């Protein structure tokens, strides 16, 4: 073997070594059946806050048998409510935020062509935020790098076959006529996932090589993904799409299938400049799609500043530039840079899955409060699209009276 070939072969060795290490990390982070467990629980005060009612109302429902009390630990103390128990409480107490049958499900694409902006981190945290709030959520990983799939507890190399991704539906020779085949349950009872892996990228190759009728093939795939997601979305309140960070066929199909667009960007000059280029490119592409008779319609387009360090003067300066440039399209509350998010990611989790703080309790509480406020802005946009604002809390109504 020549020296150059030997060097090139190292790439495969590095990939193989990396895949084995990911599998080791997965086995440490996940349960033996290769699925993460969800052990997070909520105390009665937090449950009442999430349901928008008083703790007395929950206790009364437990006393009269409408709700089972949460399990007790060895010391006799209540362990708190699981996510599944919270969902049951919402049904019993009429506190579900689910859309009305006539409301259009929110199909949100989380997109930026610039890597490193926290796209997959925003996607997974947004999914889990909506789950905690009681919505039915579907996450669709459209990126062959499959970071979102990994964060949901699946190893894309070992656990996911090409036939379990979007590939059988979008390929030149499709073997599936709808997307139900690809939907996988996650440890969250109200969150499902369509996973991805590296082989999904084959769709890009196939469509690029589709020959003289390439444009009509692309248009057909765009319409097909939109229709497939619209059919699937009937079972959900919110669908979150994580497209590849590049202007390829799948990205374009996702942009056309979505009915809302969320653009995360970090507070650095390169990220700002890259995002401006992304928006300019999107404007041109959408114009071309519309000219080709392909509909693109968003209920909202918003930018959210991710990984924001309030103690870094350069971040404050760039955020000020963002505010001047984008105005109300930039969500007012940024996602703060936090060690708690980094620590959770190391365990292939989100902050919402942590049973207890990894760092200090103060850091964890501050991080979770910020995520709730930042991601709650997107919930408000969804509910506004349904013609509703967030329901008033029972205690707030009583105090107002």
């Amino acid at each position: 073997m020549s020296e150059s070939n030997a060097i090139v072969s190292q790439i495969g060795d590095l990939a193989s070594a990396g895949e084995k290490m990911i599998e080791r990390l997965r086995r440490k982070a996940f349960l033996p059946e290769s699925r993460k467990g969800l052990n997070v629980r909520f105390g009665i005060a937090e449950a009442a806050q999430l349901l928008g009612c008083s703790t007395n109302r929950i206790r009364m429902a437990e006393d009269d048998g409408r709700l089972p009390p949460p399990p007790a630990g060895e010391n006799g103390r209540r362990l708190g409510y699981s996510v599944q128990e919270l969902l049951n409480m919402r049904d019993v107490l009429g506190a579900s935020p689910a859309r009305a049958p006539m409301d259009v499900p929110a199909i949100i694409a989380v997109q930026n062509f610039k890597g490193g902006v926290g796209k997959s981190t925003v996607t997974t945290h947004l999914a889990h935020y909506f789950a905690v709030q009681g919505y039915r959520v579907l996450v669709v990983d459209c990126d062959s790098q499959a970071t979102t799939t990994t964060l949901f507890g699946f190893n894309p190399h070992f656990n996911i076959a090409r036939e379990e991704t979007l590939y059988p539906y979008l390929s030149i020779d499709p073997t599936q006529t709808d997307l139900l085949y690809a939907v996988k349950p996650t440890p969250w009872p109200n969150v499902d996932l369509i996973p991805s892996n590296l082989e999904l990228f084959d769709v890009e190759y196939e469509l690029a090589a589709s020959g003289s009728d390439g444009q009509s093939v692309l248009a057909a795939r765009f319409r097909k993904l939109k229709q497939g997601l619209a059919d699937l979305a009937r079972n959900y309140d919110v669908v979150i799409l994580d497209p590849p960070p590049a202007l390829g066929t799948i990205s374009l199909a996702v942009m056309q299938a979505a009915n809302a667009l969320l653009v995360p960007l970090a507070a650095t000059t390169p990220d700002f400049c890259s995002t401006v280029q992304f928006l300019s490119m999107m404007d041109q592409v959408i114009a071309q799609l519309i000219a080709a008779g392909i509909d693109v319609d968003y209920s909202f387009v918003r930018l959210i500043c991710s990984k924001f360090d309030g103690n870094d003067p350069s971040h404050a300066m760039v955020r000020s530039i963002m505010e001047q440039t984008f105005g109300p399209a930039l969500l007012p509350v940024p996602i703060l840079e936090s060690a708690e998010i980094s620590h959770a990611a190391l365990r292939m989790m989100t902050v919402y899955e942590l049973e207890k703080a990894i760092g200090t309790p103060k850091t964890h509480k501050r991080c979770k409060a910020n995520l709730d406020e930042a991601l709650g802005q997107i919930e408000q946009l969804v509910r506004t699209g349904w013609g509703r604002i967030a329901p008033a809390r029972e205690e707030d109504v009583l105090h107002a009276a």
Side-chain angles (χ1 to χ4, degrees):
M1 184 184 291
S2 68
E3 184 178 344
S4 61
N5 286 343
I7 291 173
V8 169
S9 72
Q10 288 179 3
I11 296 173
D13 295 339
L14 292 170
S16 178
E19 286 159 1
K20 289 175 182 174
M21 179 53 73
I22 289 173
E23 181 63 8
R24 285 176 60 188
L25 290 171
R26 184 192 66 80
R27 290 185 183 280
K28 277 194 172 184
F30 307 155
L31 293 175
E33 60 268 28
S34 82
R35 285 263 310 281
K36 289 190 292 186
L38 183 63
N39 300 314
V40 63
R41 288 188 173 272
F42 303 85
I44 192 167
E46 192 174 4
Q49 184 177 21
L50 286 168
L51 270 63
C53 70
S54 65
T55 55
N56 282 342
R57 189 177 178 198
I58 296 175
R59 292 188 190 280
M60 286 171 62
E62 290 177 356
D63 290 343
D64 64 25
R66 284 179 294 147
L67 286 175
E74 293 180 2
N75 58 4
R77 293 183 60 183
R78 292 158 61 112
L79 295 176
Y81 305 95
S82 68
V83 172
Q84 183 62 66
E85 287 164 342
L86 273 184
L87 293 174
N88 180 53
M89 290 165 71
R90 289 184 182 279
D91 288 339
V92 171
L93 299 179
S96 172
R99 62 183 177 85
M102 297 303 292
D103 293 329
V104 176
I107 304 178
I108 307 169
V110 181
Q111 176 64 303
N112 195 326
F113 294 162
K114 171 75 167 61
V117 297
K119 185 166 62 71
S120 296
T121 301
V122 170
T123 296
T124 48
H125 278 86
L126 184 59
H128 291 166
Y129 167 82
F130 273 117
V132 170
Q133 303 304 316
Y135 296 88
R136 299 165 299 168
V137 183
L138 172 68
V139 179
V140 186
D141 193 352
C142 312
D143 185 356
S144 57
Q145 295 180 66
T147 305
T148 293
T149 297
T150 301
L151 287 171
F152 267 98
F154 300 94
N155 184 314
H157 181 74
F158 289 97
N159 303 142
I160 305 299
R162 183 167 72 172
E163 290 69 29
E164 298 174 280
T165 72
L166 291 173
Y167 178 84
Y169 184 74
L170 291 179
S171 68
I172 289 291
D173 297 309
T175 56
Q176 298 286 350
T177 56
D178 62 49
L179 288 169
L180 277 171
Y181 73 93
V183 176
K184 288 187 177 295
T186 75
W188 292 77
N190 53 339
V191 182
D192 290 334
L193 171 73
I194 293 182
S196 177
N197 71 5
L198 194 58
E199 292 178 286
L200 179 60
F201 195 74
D202 290 348
V203 170
E204 302 277 2
Y205 285 124
E206 289 181 7
L207 294 177
S210 54
S212 58
D213 63 341
Q215 289 303 316
S216 61
V217 171
L218 289 178
R221 287 301 173 276
F222 291 169
R223 293 189 178 96
K224 186 175 183 183
L225 182 61
K226 182 170 187 173
Q227 186 58 56
L229 289 173
D231 289 344
L232 208 52
R234 294 171 188 164
N235 300 317
Y236 301 93
D237 303 306
V238 180
V239 178
I240 305 173
L241 311 177
D242 184 8
L247 186 60
T249 303
I250 293 177
S251 286
L252 290 176
V254 168
M255 293 295 96
Q256 193 258 339
N259 59 26
L261 178 62
L262 180 67
V263 183
L265 71 161
T268 69
T269 303
D271 279 282
F272 172 76
C273 295
S274 175
T275 300
V276 171
Q277 290 297 313
F278 162 69
L279 293 170
S280 177
M281 200 177 301
M282 278 296 300
D283 181 52
Q284 296 174 38
V285 168
I286 288 172
Q288 291 171 2
L289 290 173
I290 292 172
I294 299 171
D295 256 352
V296 180
D297 186 24
Y298 297 141
S299 61
F300 66 81
V301 175
R302 292 292 188 276
L303 298 94
I304 186 165
C305 183
S306 58
K307 304 165 76 170
F308 179 73
D309 184 351
N311 297 318
D312 188 330
S314 70
H315 279 217
M317 183 179 71
V318 174
R319 178 160 171 79
S320 176
I321 292 170
M322 289 180 193
E323 290 169 343
Q324 294 174 46
T325 306
F326 301 129
L330 178 72
L331 292 172
V333 180
I335 296 175
L336 301 178
E337 183 86 76
S338 174
E340 202 71 359
I341 294 176
S342 303
H343 289 152
L346 184 62
R347 292 159 174 79
M348 299 183 186
M349 302 172 79
T350 68
V351 171
Y352 290 106
E353 294 179 289
L354 298 177
E355 297 174 59
K356 57 183 180 181
I358 297 175
T360 66
K362 184 178 179 181
T363 298
H364 177 81
K365 187 175 181 180
R366 184 170 61 238
C367 175
K368 194 161 177 289
N370 165 248
L371 286 169
D372 285 345
E373 188 179 8
L375 302 177
Q377 299 170 119
I378 301 153
E379 181 191 8
Q380 291 298 304
L381 290 168
V382 169
R383 295 189 67 82
T384 300
W386 293 339
R388 300 195 298 281
I389 58 171
R393 281 171 36 82
E394 183 180 291
E395 291 174 349
D396 295 339
V397 173
L398 290 173
H399 288 317

